[in-house]
């Protein structure tokens, strides 16, 4: 049980750090959705994406292979040296993940612009099934006994590589031949930065909030209970709690994709009222699922214990945090369509005021609640 908790905590700490960069780079989807009009603009934004993602790869390797990693994981989080060592190893293994993911989301954004949402959805489903298949295979190999940490890491790579191959091939088959070879709309690096920086900053603060929560919870827990156990609870809670509502974030590209005419496309522009009704319907479904899964006694514990494989004692500790997750669809269901509308009209700078509000709220709650 101790090995399970350590492995879970280590992978959770590493994956949270990597997902922070993945989330920020994932905003290139919006650039593909709104700013790619021809082949020159495609290549220009692709180069910027590769440069940014490669910089993240180098940074993650530096964190994993230097004392910076020990400082971030062991000293700041207060975890044991063994957990710290496993975490830095996981960060090194996952360092290339953001690069593959960024390429995938960039091409997914372009596909959405041309109404190929079925392909993007198929890529995401293939990602999930590839991870499940990889885990099912790896569980029957010596790896599960010799180095269990590699199982979720290899599964994550299996998923993202599968998704990247599907959406990239679909782009070159369906969209690339339709793009004009000459510039049709001027696209400069400054315009790209001006468009993406508010989105990346906002999402970056959102993503960094989870590592910040992990850090402060681990430090507060270190003086009262087991910091490793506290981080393990968060690691089990976040993905399960995110499952019924996280996909509401995919409402962001709906307005840019379906409320703007595309050159050479005969598909009609969908009215804003129809998009609003659709967003409300999926929000209602998400909120209902959250309350069924997290508020009906015994449901969340049964899923965590028998489906995900979390030890019973750890699953019981996840119950109260999961109940709080049931209220998040109310925030995400409103925010995502609004961000999409601002993206459609190139008014992403209006998102910036939410950044200091989010930071102040998170810090205030994190320091007030333990007391």
């Amino acid at each position: 049980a101790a090995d399970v908790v350590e492995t879970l905590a280590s992978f959770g700490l590493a994956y949270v750090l990597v997902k922070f960069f993945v989330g920020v780079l994932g905003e290139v989807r919006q650039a593909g959705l709104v700013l790619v009009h021809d082949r020159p603009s495609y290549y220009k934004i692709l180069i910027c994406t590769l440069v940014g993602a490669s910089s993240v790869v180098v940074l993650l390797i530096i964190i994993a292979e230097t004392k910076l990693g020990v400082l971030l994981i062991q000293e700041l989080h207060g975890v044991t040296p063994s957990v710290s060592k496993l975490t830095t190893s996981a960060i090194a293994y996952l360092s290339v993940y953001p690069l593959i993911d960024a390429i995938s989301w960039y091409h997914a954004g372009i596909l959405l612009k041309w109404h190929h949402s079925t392909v993007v959805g198929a890529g995401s489903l293939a990602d999930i099934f590839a991870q499940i298949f990889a885990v099912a295979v790896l569980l029957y190999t010596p790896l599960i006994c010799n180095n269990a940490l590699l199982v979720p890491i290899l599964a994550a790579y299996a998923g993202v590589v599968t998704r990247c191959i599907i959406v990239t091939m679909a782009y070159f088959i369906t969209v690339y031949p339709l793009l004009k070879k000459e510039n049709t709309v001027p696209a400069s690096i400054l315009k790209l930065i001006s468009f993406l920086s508010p989105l990346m900053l906002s999402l970056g603060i959102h993503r960094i909030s989870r590592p910040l929560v992990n850090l402060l919870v681990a430090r507060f827990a270190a003086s009262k209970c087991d910091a490793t156990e506290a981080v393990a609870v968060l690691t089990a809670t976040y993905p399960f709690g995110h499952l019924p509502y996280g996909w509401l974030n995919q409402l962001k590209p709906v307005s840019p994709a379906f409320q703007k005419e595309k050159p050479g496309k005969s598909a009609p522009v969908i009215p804003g009222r129809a998009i609003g009704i659709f967003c409300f319907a999926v929000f209602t479904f998400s909120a209902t699922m959250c309350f069924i899964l997290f508020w009906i006694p015994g449901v969340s514990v049964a899923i965590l214990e028998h489906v995900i494989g979390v030890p019973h004692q750890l699953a019981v500790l996840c119950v109260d945090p999961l109940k709080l997750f049931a209220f998040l669809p109310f925030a995400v269901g409103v925010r995502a369509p609004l961000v999409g509308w601002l993206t459609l009209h190139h008014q992403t700078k209006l998102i910036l005021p939410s950044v200091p509000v989010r930071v102040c709220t998170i810090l205030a709650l994190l320091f007030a609640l333990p007391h």
Side-chain angles (χ1 to χ4, degrees):
D3 291 339
V4 172
V5 172
E6 284 195 355
T7 302
L8 194 59
S10 300
F11 178 74
L13 288 172
Y15 197 62
V16 164
L17 179 62
V18 173
K19 287 294 281 185
F20 162 69
F21 294 108
V22 165
V24 174
L25 290 170
E27 287 301 299
V28 297
R29 176 184 63 177
Q30 307 295 343
L33 189 59
V34 176
L35 300 180
V36 174
H37 306 285
D38 44 53
R39 294 186 188 182
S41 61
Y42 163 76
Y43 286 116
K44 187 175 292 185
I45 298 174
L46 177 63
I47 291 171
C48 293
T49 300
L50 293 175
V51 170
S54 299
S55 302
V56 169
V57 172
V58 172
L59 178 59
L60 288 173
I61 292 174
I62 291 173
I63 292 173
E65 301 297 333
T66 65
K67 291 184 178 179
L68 180 61
V70 178
L71 175 65
L72 288 174
I73 306 302
Q74 185 175 336
E75 300 297 330
L76 287 181
H77 287 80
V79 297
T80 62
S82 60
V83 171
S84 176
K85 185 177 179 180
L86 282 173
T87 303
T88 51
S89 297
I91 292 171
Y93 291 138
L94 289 167
S95 58
V96 185
Y97 186 98
L99 176 62
I100 304 171
D101 192 76
I103 295 172
S104 170
W105 280 120
Y106 176 52
H107 290 102
I110 303 173
L111 287 171
L112 288 172
K113 178 175 184 174
W114 289 83
H115 296 185
H116 294 295
S117 55
T118 303
V119 179
V120 177
S124 297
L125 285 175
D127 182 338
I128 296 170
F129 287 126
Q131 290 188 60
I132 294 172
F133 178 76
V135 171
V137 172
L138 292 171
L139 286 177
Y140 293 96
T141 66
L143 198 63
I144 193 67
C145 297
N146 299 332
N147 193 349
L149 184 64
L150 285 178
V151 173
I153 292 172
L154 291 175
Y157 272 115
V160 74
V161 169
T162 302
R163 169 161 50 89
C164 186
I165 290 173
I166 290 174
V167 297
T168 304
M169 287 183 62
Y171 161 75
F172 279 105
I173 292 171
T174 60
V175 177
Y176 187 76
L178 302 176
L179 295 178
K180 294 183 178 181
K181 295 181 180 180
E182 66 277 359
N183 273 314
T184 56
V185 179
S188 65
I189 302 298
L190 289 177
K191 183 178 180 181
L192 175 64
I193 294 173
S194 174
F195 176 79
L196 279 183
S197 55
L199 292 170
M200 286 186 165
L201 181 59
S202 175
L203 189 58
I205 295 299
H206 170 68
R207 292 285 183 174
I208 207 172
S209 63
R210 182 177 165 186
L212 185 61
V213 169
N214 281 354
L215 169 62
L216 293 178
V217 167
R219 293 190 69 86
F220 282 126
S223 60
K224 299 179 181 179
C225 56
D226 187 356
T228 301
E229 183 180 68
V231 174
V233 169
L234 291 175
T235 302
T237 300
Y238 272 116
F240 183 34
H242 194 73
L243 188 64
Y245 83 90
W247 50 274
L248 288 177
N249 283 303
Q250 303 309 315
L251 294 174
K252 291 178 184 178
V254 172
S255 290
F258 295 101
Q259 280 193 279
K260 191 174 183 180
E261 292 184 0
K262 310 295 180 298
K265 294 288 289 186
S266 58
V269 175
I270 297 178
R273 179 181 176 84
I275 289 178
I277 293 172
F278 171 76
C279 291
F280 180 77
V282 295
F283 152 73
T284 303
F285 174 77
S286 173
T288 303
M289 289 302 299
C290 280
F291 279 97
I292 290 173
L293 290 174
F294 304 147
W295 279 88
I296 296 179
V299 174
S300 58
V301 173
I303 295 175
L304 284 168
E305 190 174 355
H306 300 295
V307 178
I308 302 177
V310 175
H312 177 74
Q313 182 182 357
L314 212 60
V316 172
L317 294 175
C318 295
V319 171
D320 289 337
L322 285 172
K323 287 182 177 180
L324 298 178
F325 270 90
F327 298 97
L328 290 178
F330 294 92
V332 180
V334 173
R335 183 192 66 195
L338 288 178
V339 171
W341 186 84
L342 292 172
T343 302
L344 170 67
H345 296 283
H346 292 207
Q347 297 297 320
T348 54
K349 61 185 178 182
L350 297 178
I351 300 171
L352 284 175
S354 68
V355 174
V357 174
R358 180 190 292 270
V359 173
C360 293
T361 302
I362 291 171
L363 290 176
L365 288 174
L366 284 173
F367 282 102
L369 290 176
H371 303 291

